[in-house]
Each structure stands twice: as C-alpha cells, then as structure tokens.
Amino acid sequence: MPLSVIAVFYYLILTKIWSLSRRVSIKLFIPLFAILFFSPAAAICQKLSISGQIFDKFSAEPIPFANVSVKNTNSGTVTNETGRFVLLTTALNDTLLISYIGYLTDTLLITDEAEQEYIRMLIPEDYNLNEVVIKPREEPAKILMRKVIANKKQNDQQNIDGYKTKGYTKIELDIGNLTAETANKAKANAFDILREHIDTINDEKPFLPFFFTETLSEFYYRKNPKSKKEIIQGSRTSGVNNASITQLLGNYYEQFNIYDNYWYLLNKNFIPPVSDSWNFFYKVALVDSAFIDDDWCYKIDFYPKQRQENVFEGYMWIADQSFAVKEVLMHLDSTANINYYKRGIFYQKFDNLNDSTWVMTEDNLVVEFAPGKTTATIIARKTSTYSDYIFDKDAFNEVAKFKDDIVYSDSVMINDESFWASNRPIALSNTETGVYELVDSLQNIKTFNTLIGIYNTLMYGYWNLGYVRIGPFANMASTNSVEGLRLRLGVKTGDLVSKRMALGGYLAYGFKDNAFKYGSEFNLIISKKPWQQFKFNYENDLDVSSSGNVTFGEDNLLSGFYRRRDTPQKIVDQEKFTWHYNKDWIWGLSNSVTLTTIDMHPLFDIYYFNGKDSLVSDIKNSEINLGIRFAYREKFLFDNYRRYSIGTKYPVLTFNYKMGINNLLAGDFNYRTVEFTFKDYFTLGSIGGTTYSLKAGKIFGTLPTLLLETPPGNETYFMNHGTFNLMNEYEFVNDTYAEFFLTHSFWGFFLNKVPLVNKLKLREVVAFKMAYGTLSAENKAANNYLKETEPYYIGNSSPNIPYMEASVGLENIFKLIRVDAIWRLTYRNNPLAPNFGVRVGVSLDI
C-alpha cells in the first residue's frame, strides 16, 4: 500500500494503544506494540524479486531495453534483448512503471510476495490515430532515408568541434546455451556452489555469468585535429586484478558511429543502415510514427537485399525536421559469413541537446559466439551511458598533456561497493549483483581452474604449473635429416616466482646424431610505463630454416611428413648469444639495441673465399643492431613480464642499422646494413581487406652467403604466409634487396552470392609476392662457385628480373584450412624448385 496510507494507519493504531495503556498493564502493552509495529515493517522491508517479459501488444514481438522501475525510487532495470527482466528491490512502493519510447507507459501493482512474475503488453502511442492512406510517386521510406543521408554531417556527433562527457560502462561475459539438462548437471557436480547464479529467467536458455566489470570515465573529443582521450576514474573487474585491461573496458573501444559508412567489426567491414551506399544493400519500409520525448519521429524497418552480406536488420526512429537518428536497434544478419557467430544485437539512443546538437546517450551491445551448434556459447554484453555533456572546442586542452589515448593507473581499481552504489547511473540486476561473488567462487573450484589451465595451454603452448611452465608442446617432438627423431623439453619460471622476471631453458636430443642441444633465456621487465625490457638468450642448437617468418615451423612432429623429398635440407649447427634491450617513448615510438654473436657450422656444402685463396665454411660473427619502430597509437595489454599488442589501424614502420665489427667478441667481419620495413592493412569497403608489407635494404661489405640477405623460401608442402612458397632455401642471395608481400581476402564477396555454395561460407583469397635483389662484384667473387651448383642451386639470381609468384585460393574451409594454387612466374628453370604447386595452410579468422 502507499506510504501515506501506511502512515495514517500507524497513527490511528498508536493513538488507540496509548488510550488503552492508561487502563491496561504496561506488561501487556509491550508485546502488543511489538506485534503491531514490527510485523508490518518486516513485511514491507523484505527483498522482492520481480521478473517478467515485455511484448508489443499488436505484433507480439518482445521489446528489448525497455525501462522497468519502482515508482518514485532509484530501483530499476532494463529488459534484455528478448524483453525479459529481473528486478530485486526493497523499495517502499507498490507501483511498477514500464516505459519505452514510442509506447504508452504501463503501470502495475506489485504485491508483497517474495517472487513475482508478469507478462506485460505495451501499446504504441499512436494506436488510436485514424488511418491515412498516402500514395506518393516514390516509397516514403526512401525519401526519408535520402534526407537522413543529406543531414548526416550536421547530425553526426563527430562533427562537433569539441566536447567532454561522463561515461559509465559495464561488461558481462556469460556461458550460454545451457540446456535444462546441462544446468541440472552443473548443479549436481563440483559447480554446486554456482546453483543460484545460473540464470533461467533473463534469456531463452539458462546461462552462467563468469565475468563482470564496470568502469567510470571522462571522455574528451576534439574535431580538428581529430583526437580522443579517455580518463579512467574508476574500474572494478571480477577475476582480473590488472589495471591495464581497463583500457579495453571503457567507452573508447568498440564505439560505433551510426553515421559511418563502414563499421570495422570482427576484423571485417560491416555496412550500417545510414551508410551512403544504403540503397545498394538495404530494403526499407516506413512502418510507424510517434512522439519520442519532444521529437516527432518516424520508424523505419530495414533488412538486407542480399542475404549473407555483412549488413544488419532492424529498425530506426528518425526525428522529424532534423532527420537525425533518435534510436536504432539492429542485429547482424544471422546468415552472415562469420565464424563461430550466433547473434549480435546493437542498440543506440540519441538526444537533442541545446535544440541543435545530437549526441549519444545509450549504447548497448550483445554478441554471442558458439564453437559448435550444440556446444556452450560465450555471450558478451556491454552497456554504456553518457551524460553531462559540455560542448567546448578547447575542452580537449585539459588532457592534451597525456601521451596515451586512455589514461589509467593502478589506483583506478576500486572495489568499494558503496562507491559504485553512489556513482553508477544504472542499478545492477540480480545476476550482476551476484557475479562478483560468483567469480570468487569459481576461482576456488578445482574443476574450473583445470578448464582454464587447459585453455591457457592450448593458447600459449605451455602447461602452467604456477611456479614453472613446461613447453612449448608443439616443439617437443620433431624430425630432420641430421637428428632423425628429436625430443625437446622446455621449462620457464611462472608468475608465482616473479611478475617482472622469467628464467627458462630447454634440452633436446637427436636419436640419429646422438647429440644433445640446449638453450637458456632471461627476461626482465625494467618498467611498464614506459615499457623497458632486457632479454638474454643462449642457444646451442641446429637451425633448420633460413627464416623465422613462418606460420608453421619445421621444428615439430609433422615436419618430417610435409617436407618435400626432392630438395636436400640445409641445416646449420650454431652457437648463438643474444642481448636485447628495448624502450618505448611516445605515440608508438620505440628503440632497441641488440648484440648478437654467432658461431655457425653449416652441415651442407657451402663455402666462401676468405680473401686468402682458400675456401672456408665456418663463420664467426658479432653484430650490433640499432632499431627504431614506429606504430602510431598501438595498444598493448600487459600481463606481468609479458605484453601483447592489440594492434593499430596505422602503418607500422621499422628501421634497422646493423654493424658487424671485426674482433668484437671474436667476430671476423666488418660490414654495415641499412634496412627498412613497412606493414599495413586496409579494407576496401565490402570487397574485402588487404594486407601488405615491404622490406628493402642494403649491405655494405663482403660477406659469406649465410650472412647476406636470402629471401625466405619454403621447402615443404605446408603454406607459410611469411615465405615464398615455391622458392627453395638460399635459392637467392643479395646484398641489395627488396621484398613485397600482398594478400587480399574477399571475405566471400563472390561466393556468398552463389546458391548452395554460400552455405559453406568459403572465402576467396589472392596473393602476390615479389623479391628483387642484386649482388656486388666483391660478394659474387667470394661466393661465385655456388651459382647453379647441384644439388642446391644457391645464389641463382639475375640483376634485372625479380622473383615473383602469385596464388588464388579458398580459405575458411572447415573454419580453419586455406588451400592455394600457386604459380611461379619467373626463374622457372630450377630443376629442384616447382613452377606450380598446391599448398595447404592454417587460416584462423572470425
């Protein structure tokens, strides 16, 4: 009952009790007072669980992101993508409000029962308008869409000169697709402690939350020059006590602009409905109109013209007069050519501030991935709200001094619940409230930790035992022509030993040469901000490849099976010391200094003239490499003494200056090398994405073949993306060189349009590779005898003709395999190198 009625009720009762107390013993009054006063209060203050689902009255479609709240209180929630909600409350009010833009607000009286469930049907605001039939020459939805496109510039938030806003983001990860049988099993085994956290109300099937985080921040934007910065003010993350991860959890990442022509999502371009090219990809229909806030709006439904394109389907509300997007709800085409994808839902809401400026106030995202059709899924839910906009072109000056786009410190990790209760703008749901406790419980369950351990082992190749890590498993067994069967065991210290330092080593044994090989390493993080690292490596082992740029190396169990039999393997026995130091500066600029000493003993017939009229095979060399790397706005995640690049949308440039110094640590050669590399990736709208790289350099000095530039060859049937797949090892030798790699994936642009074939979700891919180089007269004289010498054909290059190969292939076969048909376009006279080949490789992509 309402509070006013309760107050009157208690006033009358207490008045009557007082009059009776003058005539009745006080001993009788006390228990009577307790019964009358505390019993109703206890009933009123109990926690209620109110759940249900909201639908459109006429279409019977569920309404996502509708507001559900207890009247005149701060207790509330929103419906999920299926229109379901759960609200826990102790609020003293008996009226529940259900509202959604474009619909009449619904109210219902709640009871004092501990658990209540309701089904409500919302009525559109314009349900009672008289029907008006208009027959224009052109579909009204298309006319409206053209006006939306014409007004994009003035309505796009990115065209504001400058502003700052407060943001709140919460992210939840769930294990989904839990059937009733699976959920019951989960309750009966070692996960029994999680019973109350398996949610069976808020989704189509039960799901188990296992990760939750919330972040408060201030976001700054400047149009010219275009810049963004986010200051993380508070972050609370379950299960991960690492401040660096907060840079992924704020508003800066995955903030999609509805007015952009393309959304870069899941490593691909998607075309939003307000793209300039909307008419080529979408069908639209005008279906409704209503007042939303103070704006008269039109509702447009949109859906793909061609299925399996990277497009969306859903609806938009468009404001009259300004033709700005007021609200949009859409989901990815369920048949899109995306691996492991089950669903993706996007909701955005905009408000008109100052009667002229449109800004985003809500941004919600739900994405679900499924490894298989019947397996458990991973559901990611993100909710962001923006408030307190301040429009000032000079606002960005407040944070211009910070060099990072996302500014955070360890102190932003705040676990005080009272802080979040008073600062979060959205009350947590029942599931969210318990997820912090849930994750702590998960970490104490042996079965769960075992599953996490298996996952980490598969991802990183090492079995983590806490104090030590064993691996990598892919290299524990292999075969080659010198060692025969080779067994290898590696050990590294784990995070429990040190979070800034790691020690490691390995021991290998070849059963054919009956010899041990071994190595060791030391890794020290001097500082994380800025990043400073020192590494030392020692290796006394065989080198089975001239290049480390391989997708699937030759030091593994399968190497003996996929190697070509017609070309002898070129192996070098070497002892190698490496000292490496690198430091980051600003804006992705870093420096490195590397000292390498190597003692090489080729195990195949390769020699050079040492200038004393004699042939020599053994090589001793000492080299200092001064490196500069520039990756503008590159982002990293830090994990103790490791860091992982999460990329940059800008090109990556690297410059190396190498110096070979005679008599430095027993080195025999003096030389200088200048080398430059350039790598980039760009998309071509819906036609696909292109990756390319260029490397060019010059060696000044006379050196043996093993120290000159040898383009990376591949003598296996397995395709390596970073090598020339029809070129042999050491087939070309240069001291002036340039190498170019280009790969373009069409993302299924053509095959998606072929009936039946499109069910396979295959993707077309083409590639072109080129190597060009020359060799000075001095280096020709030192290595002249090698030219066209069987059985190796080393140094078979021409100064005027580049080596080229091209390929056409299919990727995403069984979501894993790529097959290319490759043609060798030049130097087709080598009897030990194929001019055509079919190569199979691994291509992992969403």
Side-chain angles (χ1 to χ4, degrees), residues 51-106:
S51 61
Q53 192 169 12
I54 311 302
F55 295 93
D56 182 293
K57 180 177 177 61
F58 301 112
S59 68
E61 291 292 324
I63 300 178
F65 309 116
N67 295 308
V68 181
S69 62
V70 179
K71 187 176 181 180
N72 297 328
T73 72
N74 293 325
S75 181
T77 185
V78 295
T79 59
N80 72 354
E81 60 275 9
T82 63
R84 296 184 181 273
F85 71 92
V86 174
L87 175 62
L88 290 181
T89 181
T90 58
L92 299 176
N93 199 311
D94 61 357
T95 303
L96 194 70
L97 301 178
I98 303 172
S99 62
Y100 189 65
I101 54 177
Y103 289 83
L104 297 176
T105 298
D106 187 21

Side-chain angles (χ1 to χ4, degrees), residues 209-238:
F210 69 93
F211 177 88
F212 184 77
T213 183
E214 45 190 338
T215 303
L216 287 168
S217 61
E218 284 191 341
F219 186 74
Y220 293 79
Y221 174 79
R222 177 179 62 190
K223 177 182 176 182
N224 190 19
K226 188 174 181 179
S227 305
K228 299 178 182 178
K229 285 190 185 294
E230 185 171 14
I231 312 300
I232 305 294
Q233 298 175 319
S235 182
R236 186 183 184 189
T237 303
S238 60

